Amino acid sequence: MTSFKKWVRNITGALAAATLLASTNANAVGDPEKWELKFGFIKLTDMVPLAIAYEKGFFEDEGLYVTLEAQANWKVLLDRVITGELDGAHMLAGQPLGATIGFGSKADIITAFSMDLNGNAITVSNAVWNEMKKNIPVEAGKPAHPIKADALKPVIEEYKKKGKPFNLGMVFPVSTHNYELRYWLAAGGINPGLYAPEKGDTSGTIGGDVNISVTPPPQMPATLEAGTIYGYCVGEPWNQQAVFKGIGVPVITDYEIWKNNPEKVFGVTRAWAEKYPNTHIRVIKALIRAAKWLDDNNNANRPEAVKIISRPAYVGADKEVIANSMTGTFEYEKGDKRTIPDFNVFFRYNATYPYYSDAIWYLTQMRRWGQISESKPDSWYMDVAKKVYRPDIYALAAKELIAEGKMKAADFPDFASESSMKPATADFIDGIEFDGSKPNAYLAKFAIGLK
Amino acid sequence: MAYSVQTRLIALREIKVSAIALSILRMVALPAIGIGIFVLIWHLAAASIQTSLGQFPGPAEVKKQIDNLYVEHKEEKQRETAFYQRQEIRNAERQKTDPDFKPVIRPYTGKPTFVSQIFTSLNTVFTGFFLAAVVAIPLGIAIGLSASLYSAVNPVIQIFKPVSPLAWLPLVTMVVSAVYVTTDGSLPKSYVTSAITVMLCCIWPTVINTAVGVTSVSNDLVNVSRVLRLSWMQHVRKIVLPAAVPMIFTGLRLSLSTAWMVLIAAEMLAQNPGLGKFVWDEFQNGSSDSLGRIMVAVLAIGFIGFLLDRLMLTLQRYVSWDKNAITR
């Protein structure tokens, strides 16, 4: 045996040992209990972490063979997760909470991964926009932002005088969009209406100045065009779609309603998570990597992500429409394109970490609009948040990624000291401060809504 | 004799030739002209319909989308091959470090293409149709044989016959979810739901036609059966069934075309990955290609429906004892 061959052999041996070491390291979580998984999503740009984890092989790196399937609407999606047809899904942050407290379909759903921040907007029809525009101050030739609902109030009063209901659309009773739309309206002195599940009324229109109803996201533009609704709150690309189609004008993004608000989550049933703990951690690992990829190098990968999700099997809208919001800009009135680098945040600002305080904000809004029929003590809010939001599982996945060298500890909150509560913030359109530890005191600050 | 034998033969041949020419004209040229005129009207009409998703798809756009769908199908096949290769490499690496590891090849997790969606749809429709036939034929025979049973069952049939699949679907979905517990690797619920909905909607034509076929067995034959003192089973097998077969097949043919129509609606709502879901997903996508792709699906649905009907017609002719009857 020549010395060269020996040398090659040694090197290969060393390499094999190294891979062995690396793979034992990777197997610290243990093999997934379930290899083949099916996840549901709704055709919205914020499903992108799932698409990236699939396309970039992050799921496969975890030994998972995942099928992604578009669902018809949020209700179908939630019900299919509950019945076990889907292993998990892209969900509205309010869905695991609503399901757990029993508003709508009742089931124990948990989340250990927050999918994104921001990403929604409110769009009104051209006719409403022309009326609203008269009430909006002009700044350097363009409407001054953020546009408050104060500008919409006279328009709604006009409709009321004529006896016409002012119809608005949102995507689901416990959706971020419902709460954001109501928050924006109420901040402008418009009563969005209350729910009263204890009386069997789940339409959410009691005493409202407007009539808010449910429409699945992809059908929003068509419903607006048909004149069934005069405006809607929805995620992308369905606001930009209205601009492209020339049927409506986005007036405000949710970034302006509440800066860096938590949006979608990845939800599974509690039973599923308990039955397949390793699988769950591995899924979260893949999703964390996907989210990081999306925000890496100042959104450098976003154009590629846009190309991937514009395929018909994912979001399927035209590339230009998706790119408008995904690449750091947002087009309001046709031609009025403004820079909002944080319109879609997938990883920075610890976007993927499931904060209890995020859950508590949603619960306060459920109470504010009557979806929770009676006043609850502060401790109840914390208990529900702890039941549904699982930063502990997230931390296991993150530590695993750090140990494998795929991520750095600096990418994550300091798990040893993290309380999973965000500091109090007043980054809302009406400047009212939210402190997750005092939900009842927070509710008391609002003029419109239940306490 | 004014004409020689030869001229007469020529004349005869000419008549034959012109008859063939006529039948060619009828079989090929006229349908071609019909289709041609339709495509022209379609082209002109499409150009003048503007939607918010752009112009209504004309023939050229549809041709483009057919090509696109084919390219996507091929790309997906390539991805599938790459998927299996990656898996083999991964399994081999794992086995090197972990000799106890037993590799399992996981099936491809990619998206169904248009072509595979067609097969899912056919599969679902035949399942529903088969289930319907299994229930409908015996039921039809039973109510055909007994007038009192017929009077008892008829109101139920008449009430359920006009029910739309969309009305059944929520009920079927909930019942399937409650009753049918999936164990891994078995049929997906969306498939079962769609197939049962199809069955509920397409069962009626076969029941009614079978019953009519059985009732209209000629009295002479019934008397023969009585004279021979055939047992009930023999009576059904030797007399009733053969006499009723043409009507049964008429019913089955109607059922299959109903099944195909119902299926598309059922798939849309049940999310069964067939043509119905394709149409729904494209509608949701709302891209500038969506309308063209939906139009491709519309044509595919029509063409497959036509082929299914021809298939049943051929079967119907084959089993019918009256070969001269005109069937359309």
Side-chain angles (χ1 to χ4, degrees):
Chain A
M1 194 182 273
T2 65
S3 65
F4 176 71
K5 267 189 184 160
K6 228 183 214 170
W7 179 78
V8 168
R9 214 200 203 178
N10 285 344
I11 290 284
T12 353
L15 274 177
T19 21
L20 188 73
L21 208 68
S23 65
T24 36
N25 219 343
N27 288 340
V29 190
D31 280 338
E33 300 85 353
K34 191 174 181 190
W35 303 76
E36 286 160 78
L37 304 170
K38 194 187 225 178
F39 296 148
F41 68 90
I42 296 289
K43 289 178 176 285
L44 289 165
T45 53
D46 50 23
M47 62 71 63
V48 67
L50 285 168
I52 296 304
Y54 180 89
E55 295 291 334
K56 291 284 149 194
F58 299 152
F59 283 135
E60 286 181 31
D61 285 349
E62 298 299 330
L64 303 172
Y65 296 95
V66 173
T67 305
L68 298 175
E69 194 184 81
Q71 305 297 309
N73 58 54
W74 290 112
K75 169 142 178 63
V76 167
L77 173 138
L78 180 63
D79 287 345
R80 294 187 80 197
V81 170
I82 294 172
T83 60
E85 277 170 275
L86 297 173
D87 291 291
H90 164 228
M91 283 186 188
L92 297 157
Q95 277 185 311
L97 294 163
T100 303
I101 63 172
F103 184 76
S105 309
K106 172 129 181 70
D108 273 347
I109 308 273
I110 62 163
T111 176
F113 181 82
S114 184
M115 286 180 76
D116 62 323
L117 305 180
N118 313 322
N120 302 327
I122 296 172
T123 294
V124 297
S125 69
N126 290 333
V128 172
W129 170 245
N130 288 334
E131 291 302 308
M132 266 179 88
K133 220 174 162 181
K134 296 172 191 161
N135 316 318
I136 301 167
V138 178
E139 209 174 61
K142 285 177 179 176
H145 280 192
I147 297 171
K148 295 199 173 180
D150 306 54
L152 181 66
K153 204 173 177 190
V155 185
I156 292 176
E157 267 154 19
E158 203 55 40
Y159 272 78
K160 247 187 171 173
K161 252 183 244 159
K162 287 186 205 147
K164 275 206 281 183
F166 196 84
N167 295 327
L168 292 169
M170 50 81 187
V171 306
F172 201 64
V174 296
S175 67
T176 331
H177 318 84
N178 187 17
Y179 305 128
E180 283 167 357
L181 182 60
R182 281 165 195 268
Y183 198 100
W184 180 68
L185 291 170
I190 302 165
N191 189 339
L194 293 178
Y195 291 83
E198 71 279 12
K199 292 179 200 136
D201 188 330
T202 50
S203 62
T205 52
I206 304 168
D209 297 323
V210 290
N211 198 351
I212 301 177
S213 59
V214 169
T215 305
Q219 276 125 275
M220 283 294 185
T223 317
L224 184 77
E225 196 182 7
T228 317
I229 50 176
Y230 305 121
Y232 55 72
C233 181
V234 72
E236 279 311 305
W238 311 116
N239 294 291
Q240 294 300 300
Q241 184 84 276
V243 181
F244 272 74
K245 286 176 160 188
I247 56 172
V249 177
V251 288
I252 189 166
T253 63
D254 61 344
Y255 179 77
E256 298 158 286
I257 298 174
W258 176 15
K259 190 178 152 191
N260 289 337
N261 65 88
E263 235 289 314
K264 303 294 180 315
V265 296
F266 178 78
V268 298
T269 63
R270 173 192 295 278
W272 188 91
E274 278 163 8
K275 198 169 166 197
Y276 310 115
N278 293 344
T279 314
H280 193 197
I281 293 173
R282 285 171 177 270
V283 170
I284 305 297
K285 280 170 72 184
L287 289 174
I288 292 175
R289 286 177 71 195
K292 178 160 186 299
W293 183 90
L294 281 161
D295 277 9
D296 263 350
N297 306 324
N298 250 333
N299 302 350
N301 294 325
R302 294 284 180 92
E304 190 185 340
V306 167
K307 218 168 135 193
I308 290 172
I309 59 170
S310 68
R311 296 219 296 254
Y314 293 122
V315 182
D318 287 339
K319 236 177 276 169
E320 305 78 53
V321 178
I322 297 177
N324 243 11
S325 65
M326 276 279 282
T327 50
T329 57
F330 193 81
E331 191 168 4
Y332 293 84
E333 206 176 353
K334 188 110 199 142
D336 182 2
K337 206 169 184 175
R338 306 193 188 193
T339 322
I340 311 182
D342 284 347
F343 182 76
N344 276 127
V345 172
F346 293 104
F347 190 71
R348 50 183 179 265
Y349 319 130
N350 295 328
T352 52
Y353 188 73
Y355 284 99
Y356 294 141
S357 48
D358 293 346
I360 292 170
W361 186 81
Y362 281 103
L363 291 168
T364 61
Q365 300 306 302
M366 288 178 187
R367 172 60 197 147
R368 186 180 177 191
W369 306 121
Q371 291 177 337
I372 296 171
S373 41
E374 60 209 19
S375 176
K376 303 274 184 186
D378 284 357
S379 60
W380 179 86
Y381 286 89
M382 196 62 197
D383 291 344
V384 175
K386 283 193 167 158
K387 207 169 150 194
V388 178
Y389 275 50
R390 298 294 297 272
D392 53 324
I393 298 174
Y394 180 95
L396 287 175
K399 282 175 191 159
E400 196 68 22
L401 285 169
I402 297 167
E404 286 167 21
K406 288 181 179 131
M407 308 264 285
K408 292 187 294 289
D411 292 332
F412 298 105
D414 180 8
F415 295 117
S417 63
E418 181 58 59
S419 65
S420 304
M421 294 291 279
K422 277 183 190 162
T425 168
D427 280 337
F428 289 88
I429 191 165
D430 52 5
I432 291 176
E433 192 188 63
F434 167 65
D435 178 352
S437 61
K438 303 184 191 86
N440 281 307
Y442 177 61
L443 281 171
K445 294 178 196 167
F446 293 110
I448 300 179
L450 301 175
K451 305 288 179 272
Chain B
M1 212 181 191
Y3 303 105
S4 72
V5 173
Q6 195 135 29
T7 24
R8 255 197 272 173
L9 269 180
I10 289 170
L12 206 65
R13 205 179 293 151
E14 271 170 4
I15 291 168
K16 246 189 191 164
V17 167
S18 65
I20 290 170
L22 245 170
S23 71
I24 287 178
L25 184 72
R26 197 177 295 149
M27 297 277 286
V28 181
L30 288 180
I33 292 170
I35 291 174
I37 292 173
F38 166 74
V39 170
L40 191 70
I41 294 174
W42 173 20
H43 174 73
L44 294 174
S48 58
I49 305 175
Q50 282 296 330
T51 74
S52 59
L53 286 180
Q55 197 185 305
F56 190 83
E61 172 68 16
V62 167
K63 171 75 181 53
K64 195 180 119 199
Q65 292 308 329
I66 291 175
D67 295 343
N68 273 354
L69 285 167
Y70 182 65
V71 170
E72 276 167 32
H73 176 70
K74 282 211 304 206
E75 282 174 357
E76 196 63 39
K77 287 281 154 224
Q78 280 169 3
R79 272 191 217 121
E80 188 171 345
T81 323
F83 172 86
Y84 284 115
Q85 280 169 356
R86 280 202 307 276
Q87 212 179 140
E88 268 170 31
I89 293 170
R90 196 165 276 129
N91 282 339
E93 273 174 11
R94 178 76 193 265
Q95 264 182 321
K96 252 188 248 162
T97 58
D98 179 6
D100 294 338
F101 178 71
K102 286 196 185 60
V104 184
I105 295 296
R106 314 280 164 185
Y108 183 51
T109 57
K111 319 291 169 296
T113 63
F114 189 67
V115 181
S116 60
Q117 279 170 315
I118 289 178
F119 285 106
T120 309
S121 280
L122 285 175
N123 200 350
T124 318
V125 86
F126 276 115
T127 311
F129 174 66
F130 179 75
L131 288 175
V134 165
V135 177
I137 296 174
L139 181 64
I141 292 172
I143 63 174
L145 285 174
S146 151
S148 31
L149 190 62
Y150 177 79
S151 319
V153 177
N154 191 38
V156 180
I157 295 177
Q158 297 307 330
I159 287 170
F160 284 122
K161 192 165 62 109
V163 175
S164 146
L166 305 182
W168 280 120
L169 203 85
L171 296 173
V172 175
T173 309
M174 294 324 286
V175 171
V176 168
S177 307
V179 176
Y180 177 70
V181 184
T182 27
T183 43
D184 284 327
S186 58
L187 302 168
K189 276 182 188 167
S190 58
Y191 169 85
V192 177
T193 310
S194 308
I196 292 180
T197 309
V198 165
M199 173 198 159
L200 285 173
C201 292
C202 79
I203 199 168
W204 313 114
T206 306
V207 173
I208 293 166
N209 279 283
T210 306
V212 171
V214 170
T215 342
S216 54
V217 175
S218 90
N219 273 334
D220 294 346
L221 289 174
V222 175
N223 287 335
V224 168
S225 162
R226 284 208 185 114
V227 168
L228 293 176
R229 294 174 177 244
L230 294 181
S231 73
W232 187 83
M233 246 348 253
Q234 279 173 320
H235 173 68
V236 169
R237 270 179 42 212
K238 303 279 178 193
I239 306 285
V240 173
L241 265 182
V245 151
M247 279 306 272
I248 294 178
F249 271 82
T250 309
L252 287 176
R253 191 176 154 206
L254 287 170
S255 280
L256 186 60
S257 50
T258 313
W260 185 243
M261 285 220 281
V262 164
L263 176 77
I264 304 301
E267 281 184 337
M268 272 193 191
L269 289 174
Q271 298 288 296
N272 188 41
L275 287 169
K277 184 161 159 54
F278 175 86
V279 170
W280 181 252
D281 283 349
E282 282 301 334
F283 172 58
Q284 303 241 314
N285 285 348
S287 84
S288 47
D289 291 341
S290 290
L291 292 181
R293 294 163 73 98
I294 292 175
M295 199 66 208
V296 175
V298 167
L299 295 179
I301 290 166
F303 193 67
I304 293 165
F306 168 71
L307 289 184
L308 289 179
D309 193 60
R310 286 286 119 169
L311 176 78
M312 288 308 289
L313 181 64
T314 316
L315 272 176
Q316 192 185 347
R317 279 189 186 145
Y318 178 75
V319 296
S320 167
W321 30 261
D322 183 2
K323 299 290 178 200
N324 293 322
I326 295 176
T327 39
R328 283 176 193 266

